[in-house]
Each structure stands twice: as structure tokens, then as C-alpha cells.
Amino acid sequence: MNATRPRKRKKDNAATADSFAVADFRKLGKDRLEEMEAAGAEVIEVFRVLANTDDNVVGEVLKGQGTFVEWDHYPKGDVHDFTSYSQYYYHAHPAAERTGEHGHFHTFLRPKGMPKGIKPAPVADFELPEDEDDALSHIVAISMDSFGFPLRMFTTNRWVTGEIWYRAEDVRTMVGCFVIDHAQPSWPVNRWLGAMLRLFRPQIEELLDRRDRTITGWQKEDPDMNVFEDRDREITSVMKISVDDQIEKVARALARV
């Protein structure tokens, strides 16, 4: 795998059959659309600045980390913001390249950064960690190609990241709380991740709803199984994404509100 081979950014052509229509975006209202517009501009700016030195977001997060090993977290120890309590890491699974993926980012929020009143879902096997702030929630994962561009967003079953399970309606409120407001290990990557979650917030919210419907469906299929720990059940929802397509739809929706 080679995440450091940079390329100038080209207009992406990812399929968006599962994406939102302009009409859906118009329902979001002007304020939300303007926030997405600003986030889109930031995503493009990060691509532009990194391309000026033949870099990309994947290469940035792997810089100085030694040999890239599947399953290991990059950077080592993950990235934490101790003001917002946001967290992320990058890693890869074996054979991921068969899907065109180099690896993916996992994004999280810890309890101290969550909106007030949010509590873990009352699932049967819930156990609060010894340190309550370890009851973190996974928000969404972003799949990347080897040139540092996003392919898909997806959610996972609980065992995949070792998270504590929160209901989709609660995780939806966490999306806007994710921010890494410092420069380490890479200011561009930190800014890019936060902007991606703002730009694609409608899709992330839909993915979270689908996640819970998937879990409910699995449990009905196998009522005696703890589906949260079933290693044969990994991805709970997935959606192809296109930065350019998203930005264009937001612009068209804004022109009509």
C-alpha cells in the first residue's frame, strides 16, 4: 500500500445513487446549507494546499509513522482533542484494496463532549467502563483511496471499534460536536475531518438511522444471539460519497431557498 503517492485533485466521479437529492437539501434550511457550503469550501481548500506540496490527507496522517501495518492505529495512540473530547484514527483491514480502499478514518466522541442528557442505549449487556469518559461513541467512518480522496462513509457494529452503544437519535446530535482544534499530528487533516462531518451531515444522520434499523433486523433474525458481538456482522450501513457532487447540490439548494 502506498498512501504517499500524491496526485493533483481531479473532479471525482463517485456514484451517488444513495445520496440526497437537491430537494432534500432544500428542506434543511438556509443556515444549515450555509454551514455545509462553508465546510465544502474548507474541504477543497485542504485538498488544494496539500496538493501544492504533492501531499494528501492519508499521507499526512501516516507521516513519520514507519511501516504501514494493517489493523494498527495511525497515528499511534489516536488523535484526541481534550477540549471537545473528539477522537479519531486511521487504519486498514486486510484485502481492503479489492474494494479500492486504502484505509479509513474512524471518528468518535467521548461523554464529556456529548450534549447534556445523552446516555448509553439500554442494551441487554451494557456495562459502564471504569472510567465513565471511556464510554465513547463511534460517529462514522470515512473510506479513503490510495490518493487520499474519500470513497464512502459507513457505520459499524459495536464490536468493530469497542464503542459503547448509543441510539442513533443521540449520535445524530454528536455529529456537530466533532472538532479537532489543534495542529497535531496534522492541522490540515484535523480541519478536513471536521469539515467532512459538517459537509456530509445529512448523509451521516441517515447512515446512523440505517445502522439502528440494521441492528434491529439482525436481532429479529437471530433473537438468541448478541448481535453486537457477532464477528460475522460488521458493517451496519454504507453510502458512496462525492465531495464535488455534494458541493454542487448544496449550491443549487441554496440558490432556491
Side-chain angles (χ1 to χ4, degrees):
M1 292 184 177
N2 183 358
T4 59
R5 286 188 303 156
R7 294 290 186 275
K8 292 291 185 179
R9 181 174 181 274
K10 298 179 180 179
K11 182 179 176 65
D12 61 77
N13 295 305
T16 55
D18 290 328
S19 193
F20 284 52
V22 174
D24 297 315
F25 283 167
R26 290 176 62 190
K27 298 174 185 176
L28 297 174
K30 187 175 181 180
D31 289 347
R32 181 82 170 269
L33 287 168
E34 287 180 342
E35 181 183 28
M36 292 169 66
E37 180 183 48
E42 187 158 16
V43 168
I44 296 300
E45 181 67 1
V46 169
F47 283 146
R48 184 192 69 80
V49 171
L50 288 175
N52 282 343
T53 52
D54 288 336
D55 291 309
N56 62 65
V57 292
V58 172
E60 277 285 291
V61 82
L62 298 181
K63 190 178 294 183
Q65 296 290 310
T67 302
F68 184 50
V69 179
E70 291 170 335
W71 296 114
D72 284 2
H73 290 199
Y74 294 90
K76 294 175 176 63
D78 300 3
V79 178
H80 299 258
D81 185 304
F82 294 105
T83 299
S84 71
Y85 297 96
S86 303
Q87 179 178 339
Y88 76 83
Y89 64 82
Y90 184 83
H91 78 163
H93 297 178
E97 285 186 313
R98 286 185 297 186
T99 66
E101 178 185 286
H102 174 273
H104 49 267
F105 289 94
H106 283 290
T107 60
F108 304 86
L109 191 68
R110 289 182 173 271
K112 289 182 181 179
M114 294 176 186
K116 290 183 178 179
I118 299 297
K119 297 186 180 300
V123 298
D125 65 344
F126 168 70
E127 291 185 15
L128 189 68
E130 185 174 338
D131 182 343
E132 292 186 12
D133 206 47
D134 285 339
L136 78 174
S137 174
H138 183 252
I139 299 175
V140 74
I142 306 176
S143 174
M144 308 293 292
D145 68 18
S146 59
F147 303 118
F149 300 128
L151 297 168
R152 292 173 288 275
M153 285 184 166
F154 62 95
T155 62
T156 60
N157 200 357
R158 187 184 68 185
W159 68 265
V160 175
T161 61
E163 64 177 304
I164 297 298
W165 200 256
Y166 293 81
R167 293 173 297 184
E169 62 190 81
D170 290 332
V171 186
R172 286 166 62 105
T173 70
M174 301 178 197
V175 179
C177 300
F178 182 91
V179 60
I180 305 293
D181 193 27
H182 56 68
Q184 300 302 322
S186 169
W187 185 87
V189 175
N190 296 348
R191 299 295 295 179
W192 180 85
L193 269 176
M196 284 291 289
L197 266 61
R198 296 193 303 275
L199 175 61
F200 287 98
R201 186 168 180 174
Q203 282 90 345
I204 296 170
E205 292 175 346
E206 174 62 24
L207 284 167
L208 291 166
D209 290 341
R210 293 186 191 182
R211 180 203 72 165
D212 279 18
R213 291 197 294 270
T214 296
I215 289 290
T216 298
W218 286 345
Q219 199 65 73
K220 287 180 178 178
E221 290 172 6
D222 203 343
D224 296 326
M225 167 71 73
N226 180 358
V227 297
F228 292 109
E229 296 301 319
D230 184 352
R231 266 48 180 178
D232 291 328
R233 294 176 162 114
E234 180 177 359
I235 304 300
T236 49
S237 61
V238 62
M239 186 181 293
K240 294 178 182 179
I241 60 171
S242 163
V243 168
D244 293 305
D245 184 68
Q246 186 84 342
I247 289 172
E248 288 174 8
K249 285 182 178 178
V250 169
R252 287 163 59 195
L254 266 174
R256 299 179 187 179
V257 296

Coordinates of all heavy atoms in Angstrom, one line a residue, residues 16 19-29 33 36 202-203 244-257:
T16 N -23.4 8.2 -6.7 CA -24.1 8.8 -5.6 C -25.6 8.3 -5.6 O -26.5 9.1 -5.2 CB -24.1 10.3 -5.6 OG1 -24.5 10.7 -6.9 CG2 -22.7 10.8 -5.5
S19 N -27.2 8.9 -2.4 CA -27.0 10.3 -1.8 C -28.4 11.0 -1.9 O -29.4 10.5 -2.3 CB -26.0 11.0 -2.6 OG -25.6 12.2 -1.9
F20 N -28.3 12.2 -1.4 CA -29.5 13.0 -1.3 C -29.8 13.9 -2.6 O -28.8 14.3 -3.2 CB -29.4 14.0 -0.1 CG -29.6 13.3 1.2 CD1 -28.9 12.2 1.6 CD2 -30.5 13.8 2.2 CE1 -29.0 11.5 2.8 CE2 -30.7 13.2 3.4 CZ -29.9 12.1 3.7
A21 N -31.0 14.1 -2.9 CA -31.4 15.0 -4.0 C -31.4 16.4 -3.5 O -31.4 16.7 -2.4 CB -32.8 14.6 -4.5
V22 N -31.3 17.4 -4.5 CA -31.3 18.8 -4.2 C -32.6 19.1 -3.4 O -32.5 19.9 -2.4 CB -31.3 19.6 -5.5 CG1 -31.4 21.1 -5.1 CG2 -29.9 19.4 -6.2
A23 N -33.7 18.5 -3.7 CA -34.9 18.8 -3.0 C -34.8 18.5 -1.5 O -35.3 19.2 -0.6 CB -36.1 18.0 -3.6
D24 N -34.1 17.4 -1.2 CA -33.9 17.0 0.2 C -33.1 18.1 0.9 O -33.3 18.4 2.1 CB -33.1 15.7 0.3 CG -33.9 14.5 -0.3 OD1 -35.1 14.4 -0.1 OD2 -33.3 13.7 -1.1
F25 N -32.1 18.6 0.3 CA -31.2 19.6 0.9 C -32.0 20.9 1.1 O -31.7 21.6 2.1 CB -30.0 19.9 0.0 CG -28.9 18.9 0.1 CD1 -27.9 18.9 -0.8 CD2 -28.9 17.9 1.1 CE1 -26.9 17.9 -0.8 CE2 -27.9 16.9 1.1 CZ -26.9 16.9 0.2
R26 N -32.9 21.3 0.3 CA -33.7 22.5 0.5 C -34.4 22.5 1.8 O -34.7 23.5 2.4 CB -34.6 22.7 -0.7 CG -33.9 23.1 -2.0 CD -34.9 23.2 -3.2 NE -35.8 24.2 -3.0 CZ -36.9 24.4 -3.7 NH1 -37.2 23.6 -4.7 NH2 -37.8 25.4 -3.5
K27 N -34.8 21.3 2.2 CA -35.6 21.2 3.5 C -34.7 21.5 4.7 O -35.3 21.7 5.8 CB -36.1 19.7 3.6 CG -37.1 19.4 2.5 CD -37.5 17.9 2.6 CE -38.4 17.5 1.4 NZ -38.7 16.0 1.5
L28 N -33.4 21.5 4.5 CA -32.5 21.7 5.6 C -32.6 23.2 6.1 O -32.2 23.4 7.3 CB -31.1 21.3 5.3 CG -30.9 19.9 4.9 CD1 -29.4 19.7 4.4 CD2 -31.1 19.0 6.1
G29 N -32.9 24.1 5.3 CA -32.9 25.5 5.6 C -31.6 26.2 5.3 O -30.6 25.6 5.1
L33 N -27.6 24.9 5.3 CA -26.9 24.8 4.0 C -25.7 25.7 3.9 O -24.7 25.3 3.3 CB -27.9 25.3 2.9 CG -29.0 24.3 2.6 CD1 -30.1 24.9 1.7 CD2 -28.5 23.0 1.9
M36 N -22.9 23.9 5.6 CA -22.4 22.9 4.7 C -21.6 23.5 3.5 O -20.5 22.9 3.2 CB -23.5 22.1 4.1 CG -24.3 21.2 5.1 SD -25.8 20.5 4.5 CE -25.2 19.4 3.2
P202 N -26.1 15.4 6.6 CA -27.3 14.7 6.3 C -27.1 13.3 6.0 O -27.9 12.4 6.4 CB -27.9 15.5 5.1 CG -27.2 16.8 5.2 CD -25.9 16.6 5.7
Q203 N -26.1 12.9 5.2 CA -25.8 11.5 4.9 C -25.4 10.7 6.2 O -25.9 9.6 6.4 CB -24.7 11.4 3.9 CG -25.2 11.7 2.5 CD -25.0 13.1 2.1 OE1 -24.9 14.0 2.9 NE2 -25.1 13.4 0.8
D244 N -17.5 16.7 -4.7 CA -17.9 17.6 -5.8 C -19.4 17.6 -5.9 O -20.1 18.6 -6.1 CB -17.2 17.3 -7.1 CG -15.7 17.5 -7.1 OD1 -15.3 18.7 -6.7 OD2 -15.0 16.6 -7.3
D245 N -20.0 16.4 -6.0 CA -21.4 16.3 -6.1 C -22.2 16.9 -4.9 O -23.2 17.6 -5.1 CB -21.8 14.8 -6.2 CG -23.3 14.6 -6.5 OD1 -23.8 15.0 -7.6 OD2 -24.0 14.1 -5.6
Q246 N -21.7 16.7 -3.7 CA -22.3 17.3 -2.6 C -22.2 18.8 -2.6 O -23.2 19.5 -2.3 CB -21.6 16.8 -1.3 CG -22.2 17.2 0.0 CD -23.3 16.3 0.4 OE1 -23.9 15.6 -0.4 NE2 -23.7 16.4 1.7
I247 N -21.1 19.4 -3.0 CA -20.9 20.8 -3.0 C -21.9 21.4 -4.1 O -22.5 22.5 -3.8 CB -19.5 21.2 -3.3 CG1 -18.6 20.9 -2.1 CG2 -19.3 22.7 -3.7 CD1 -17.1 21.0 -2.3
E248 N -22.0 20.8 -5.2 CA -22.9 21.3 -6.3 C -24.3 21.2 -5.8 O -25.1 22.2 -6.1 CB -22.7 20.4 -7.5 CG -21.4 20.6 -8.2 CD -21.1 19.7 -9.4 OE1 -22.1 18.9 -9.7 OE2 -20.0 19.7 -9.9
K249 N -24.7 20.2 -5.1 CA -26.1 20.1 -4.7 C -26.4 21.2 -3.6 O -27.5 21.7 -3.6 CB -26.4 18.7 -4.1 CG -26.6 17.6 -5.2 CD -26.9 16.3 -4.6 CE -27.1 15.2 -5.6 NZ -27.3 13.9 -5.0
V250 N -25.5 21.4 -2.7 CA -25.7 22.4 -1.7 C -25.8 23.8 -2.4 O -26.7 24.6 -2.0 CB -24.5 22.4 -0.7 CG1 -24.5 23.7 0.2 CG2 -24.5 21.2 0.1
A251 N -25.0 24.1 -3.4 CA -25.0 25.4 -4.1 C -26.4 25.5 -4.8 O -27.0 26.6 -4.7 CB -23.9 25.5 -5.1
R252 N -26.9 24.5 -5.4 CA -28.1 24.5 -6.1 C -29.3 24.7 -5.1 O -30.3 25.4 -5.4 CB -28.3 23.3 -7.0 CG -27.4 23.3 -8.2 CD -27.3 21.9 -8.8 NE -28.6 21.3 -9.2 CZ -28.8 20.0 -9.4 NH1 -27.8 19.2 -9.3 NH2 -30.0 19.6 -9.8
A253 N -29.2 24.0 -4.0 CA -30.3 24.2 -3.0 C -30.3 25.6 -2.4 O -31.4 26.2 -2.2 CB -30.1 23.1 -1.9
L254 N -29.1 26.1 -2.1 CA -29.0 27.5 -1.6 C -29.6 28.5 -2.5 O -30.2 29.5 -2.1 CB -27.5 27.8 -1.3 CG -27.1 27.6 0.2 CD1 -25.6 27.8 0.3 CD2 -27.8 28.5 1.1
A255 N -29.4 28.3 -3.8 CA -29.9 29.2 -4.8 C -31.5 29.2 -4.9 O -32.1 30.1 -5.4 CB -29.4 28.9 -6.2
R256 N -32.1 28.2 -4.2 CA -33.5 28.1 -4.3 C -34.2 28.3 -3.0 O -35.4 28.2 -2.9 CB -33.9 26.7 -4.8 CG -33.4 26.4 -6.2 CD -33.7 25.0 -6.7 NE -33.1 24.7 -7.9 CZ -33.2 23.5 -8.6 NH1 -34.0 22.6 -8.0 NH2 -32.6 23.3 -9.7
V257 N -33.5 28.7 -1.9 CA -34.1 28.9 -0.6 C -34.2 30.4 -0.4 O -33.5 31.2 -1.0 CB -33.4 28.2 0.5 CG1 -33.4 26.7 0.3 CG2 -31.9 28.7 0.6

